[in-house]
Amino acid sequence: MVNDNQQESSGGLEWRVRMADGSSEILVPETGLIRRTGLSLLGLISGLVMKVRNFLQKAWDLGIDDPRKFIHCLKVGLALTVVSLFYYMRPLYDGVGGNAMWAVMTVVVVFEFTVGSTLYKCLNRIVGTSLAGALAIGVHWVASKSGDKFEPVILGTSVFFLAIAATFSRFIPTVKARFDYGAMIFILTFSLVSVSGYRVDKLFELAQQRLSTIAIGTALCLLVSMLICPVWAGKDLHDLITRNMDKLADSLDGCVAEYFTESSNTDDENEQDCRKKLQGYKCVLNSKASEDSLANFARWEPAHGNFGFRHPWKQYLKIGTMMRSCAYCIEALNGCINSEFNAHEFTKKHLSDVCMKLSSHSSRVLKDLAIITKKMTKSSTIDFSVGEMNSAVEDLQNVLKSLSTQLSRRPPLTVINEALDENETRDNPISTAILIPLMDVLPLVTLSSLLIEITTRIEKIVDAVDELSSLADFKPANEEKPKQNQPNLDQQVQETMKTLQMV
């Protein structure tokens, strides 16, 4: 028999093995310096390998999720390879001189992911460089005619005041949104040309070579960006708005259905997917910066696909604002549903049907709007869907009006027994039956008022989409509005409740 005894010693811990004959032997672990160093080095290498592997896995998943990013990398590499020929080939190098590196720098700086952002930077760089170069040559000519004493004074003063004016213009909202990069290039070019012109004799030739190399770089970027798998900012904005409408519809329908149904035996993956859909309104709340950026770049793009030259991109921002207003109400609705103060089942059943119908009609309107916006086709059924939503609002308001009479009636005895405290007297059960349901029904009244407010804001989204269809000349609808083909609402509600219970 072998027993291990652990004893503390002055140097740390020691291990003894007691043999069967009663003798004991101290086990001394191998603590050689080489062994410890080898183990540490092995652990460091294995940890580094795992980090590299995780990084490559994330990069692969990113490329699989959006292959356009990988294609963009290939396009940048192709553009840099082509523009480098001005350095490798002697005839091209002699044509632009030693300033061929400016073409390479231009490609690196202005080549962006979308066509709109690339076009925005290219035009701003060309215009800013041209204006600054022409102005710098003019100032240099005036300074050269003023004598050796006043020439540096005039050049320094011009750089000082023009840098102040151009920098201040970048704070103006309109200039910052459309010409911020051009203003920065103007400051850079004017300063370089003005300062270098003091020591360079052939200033005009130098400015001409730099302008030609920048034009070559920007033209190459535009050709590669627009001809090889172009990524349009307007198309991304259009798809973003339609996805946000679907997410709002899923969040609204899912929040109300989750509140009025009990889920049990849920699968982890299905529960995670359902929870992600319920939190879809957060994507709408966080999409303002992306919408503003895409709309700004979309204004610079030429006509492409179904989008004309003067497509109303500002109207998409208006629709996005309306959807965020609706998403704030859904966020409040989600907070009300997850509140600690829950309504009693007796009062919850009283409003469950009308609330489920209203949320179903509201989500259907949002989905119809998403289809209209995505296909850019007017729908003949949207008015019918809005009418059903307004009818459901009237039903909910009527139920809320009749709620006071329902509360004044004596509920079942089981409800009273559950509401009453053990130490509370039962001499006046009618007054107690009135007080308790009022406290229980308060979360339901809040939820109902939020649902009504959400429908009001959905109508504003409908008006904004209708205005977009008029400005963008959406195609007329081909299908008629067959009322008999509309699905049964009660059947839809039951299917939704069964789906959530299965999830």
Side-chain angles (χ1 to χ4, degrees):
M1 297 177 62
V2 179
N3 296 324
D4 296 340
N5 296 326
Q6 182 177 354
Q7 297 180 355
E8 295 184 2
S9 62
S10 60
L13 299 176
E14 67 177 14
W15 294 82
R16 292 177 179 268
V17 178
R18 182 171 296 176
M19 309 302 292
D21 56 358
S23 61
S24 61
E25 181 180 356
I26 300 176
L27 297 179
V28 180
E30 297 181 3
T31 57
L33 178 61
I34 298 178
R35 179 180 177 83
R36 291 199 306 268
T37 304
L39 292 176
S40 301
L41 184 60
L42 181 62
L44 180 63
I45 294 175
S46 61
L48 183 61
V49 170
M50 289 300 298
K51 289 182 180 180
V52 173
R53 182 181 178 183
N54 294 334
F55 174 78
L56 294 178
Q57 183 64 35
K58 292 181 180 179
W60 177 260
D61 295 338
L62 181 63
I64 294 297
D65 183 61
D66 191 359
R68 300 181 306 172
K69 296 179 180 178
F70 180 73
I71 296 175
H72 173 71
C73 299
L74 296 178
K75 290 159 63 176
V76 174
L78 176 62
L80 287 175
T81 302
V82 174
V83 80
S84 299
L85 296 178
F86 286 89
Y87 246 83
Y88 300 149
M89 301 179 68
R90 174 60 62 179
L92 296 177
Y93 181 80
D94 295 337
V96 297
N99 294 310
M101 187 57 67
W102 283 87
V104 178
M105 294 176 59
T106 301
V107 172
V108 175
V109 172
V110 304
F111 207 128
E112 295 292 339
F113 182 66
T114 62
V115 176
S117 56
T118 303
L119 189 59
Y120 156 77
K121 279 198 168 183
C122 287
L123 295 180
N124 273 267
R125 188 174 182 86
I126 292 176
V127 174
T129 303
S130 302
L131 291 178
L135 187 59
I137 292 175
V139 172
H140 176 73
W141 182 81
V142 174
S144 62
K145 300 298 181 180
S146 301
D148 295 337
K149 294 183 178 180
F150 293 98
E151 182 177 0
V153 176
I154 294 176
L155 293 176
T157 305
S158 62
V159 171
F160 177 75
F161 284 105
L162 286 177
I164 291 176
T167 304
F168 181 78
S169 66
R170 300 180 66 185
F171 293 104
I172 301 175
T174 304
V175 177
K176 186 175 181 60
R178 297 188 179 184
F179 309 107
D180 182 71
Y181 183 72
M184 182 183 65
I185 294 299
F186 177 86
I187 298 173
L188 175 63
T189 304
F190 183 82
S191 302
L192 290 177
V193 175
S194 298
V195 174
S196 61
Y198 185 73
R199 299 295 183 183
V200 177
D201 297 331
K202 299 180 180 180
L203 180 62
F204 182 78
E205 183 179 355
L206 176 62
Q208 183 180 5
Q209 289 179 352
R210 291 188 178 180
L211 183 61
S212 61
T213 54
I214 291 175
I216 291 172
T218 53
L220 183 60
C221 290
L222 291 177
L223 290 176
V224 175
S225 178
M226 297 176 65
L227 297 181
I228 302 177
C229 298
V231 179
W232 303 100
K235 183 66 167 54
D236 288 350
L237 176 62
H238 184 83
D239 295 339
L240 178 62
I241 293 297
T242 55
R243 287 197 305 268
N244 287 342
M245 289 181 183
D246 288 329
K247 290 178 181 179
L248 275 182
D250 293 337
S251 298
L252 175 59
D253 205 5
C255 285
V256 178
E258 184 186 23
Y259 182 71
F260 287 105
T261 57
E262 295 181 358
S263 60
S264 59
N265 298 325
T266 59
D267 189 16
D268 293 337
E269 295 182 359
N270 293 332
E271 184 179 0
Q272 185 177 2
D273 295 339
C274 184
R275 180 59 57 182
K276 185 181 296 184
K277 289 184 178 180
L278 295 180
Q279 301 297 326
Y281 66 90
K282 293 184 178 180
C283 297
V284 182
L285 296 176
N286 297 328
S287 63
K288 184 179 186 304
S290 299
E291 292 174 4
D292 293 339
S293 177
L294 291 175
N296 181 33
F297 295 145
R299 296 191 189 103
W300 296 88
E301 293 178 345
H304 57 278
N306 296 326
F307 309 104
F309 178 68
R310 298 184 61 85
H311 194 75
W313 300 114
K314 289 185 178 180
Q315 188 64 25
Y316 285 91
L317 297 180
K318 184 177 180 181
I319 295 174
T321 303
M322 298 299 177
M323 287 194 299
R324 278 187 293 276
S325 176
C326 184
Y328 285 124
C329 276
I330 296 179
E331 185 178 28
L333 180 67
N334 189 33
C336 178
I337 290 174
N338 297 326
S339 176
E340 297 179 356
F341 301 96
N342 296 323
H344 197 274
E345 293 297 329
F346 174 75
T347 55
K348 184 184 292 187
K349 291 180 180 179
H350 185 73
L351 294 174
S352 61
D353 293 337
V354 289
C355 289
M356 289 287 293
K357 289 181 180 180
L358 180 56
S359 66
S360 179
H361 283 305
S362 302
S363 61
R364 186 195 304 172
V365 171
L366 288 173
K367 290 182 180 295
D368 289 344
L369 293 177
I371 295 174
I372 292 172
T373 307
K374 183 177 182 179
K375 296 183 177 180
M376 300 184 69
T377 304
K378 295 181 180 179
S379 176
S380 58
T381 60
I382 186 63
D383 294 334
F384 180 75
S385 300
V386 173
E388 283 188 333
M389 183 182 67
N390 293 330
S391 177
V393 171
E394 293 179 359
D395 294 340
L396 179 58
Q397 290 176 346
N398 293 331
V399 172
L400 290 176
K401 290 179 182 178
S402 63
L403 189 62
S404 58
T405 58
Q406 295 290 334
L407 292 176
S408 62
R409 297 176 184 176
R410 180 174 177 177
L413 185 60
T414 56
V415 178
I416 298 178
N417 294 334
E418 291 178 1
L420 288 174
D421 189 68
E422 295 180 356
N423 299 327
E424 189 175 3
T425 60
R426 304 187 182 183
D427 297 336
N428 192 4
I430 298 179
S431 61
T432 306
I434 295 175
L435 178 61
I436 300 300
L438 282 175
M439 299 298 296
D440 289 344
V441 85
L442 185 60
L444 284 175
V445 175
T446 305
L447 183 141
S448 302
S449 62
L450 286 174
L451 283 177
I452 295 174
E453 180 63 25
I454 288 173
T455 58
T456 303
R457 302 190 180 189
I458 290 178
E459 289 183 353
K460 295 181 179 179
I461 300 177
V462 174
D463 296 336
V465 173
D466 183 67
E467 185 178 356
L468 175 64
S469 64
S470 300
L471 295 175
D473 294 330
F474 283 5
K475 298 178 181 179
N478 295 324
E479 71 278 359
E480 296 295 332
K481 179 183 65 175
K483 184 175 180 180
Q484 61 273 14
N485 292 337
Q486 293 292 333
N488 189 1
L489 180 60
D490 295 333
Q491 184 179 0
Q492 277 193 347
V493 173
Q494 293 177 3
E495 291 178 357
T496 303
M497 297 176 66
K498 290 180 180 179
T499 303
L500 288 174
Q501 289 178 355
M502 293 176 61
V503 172

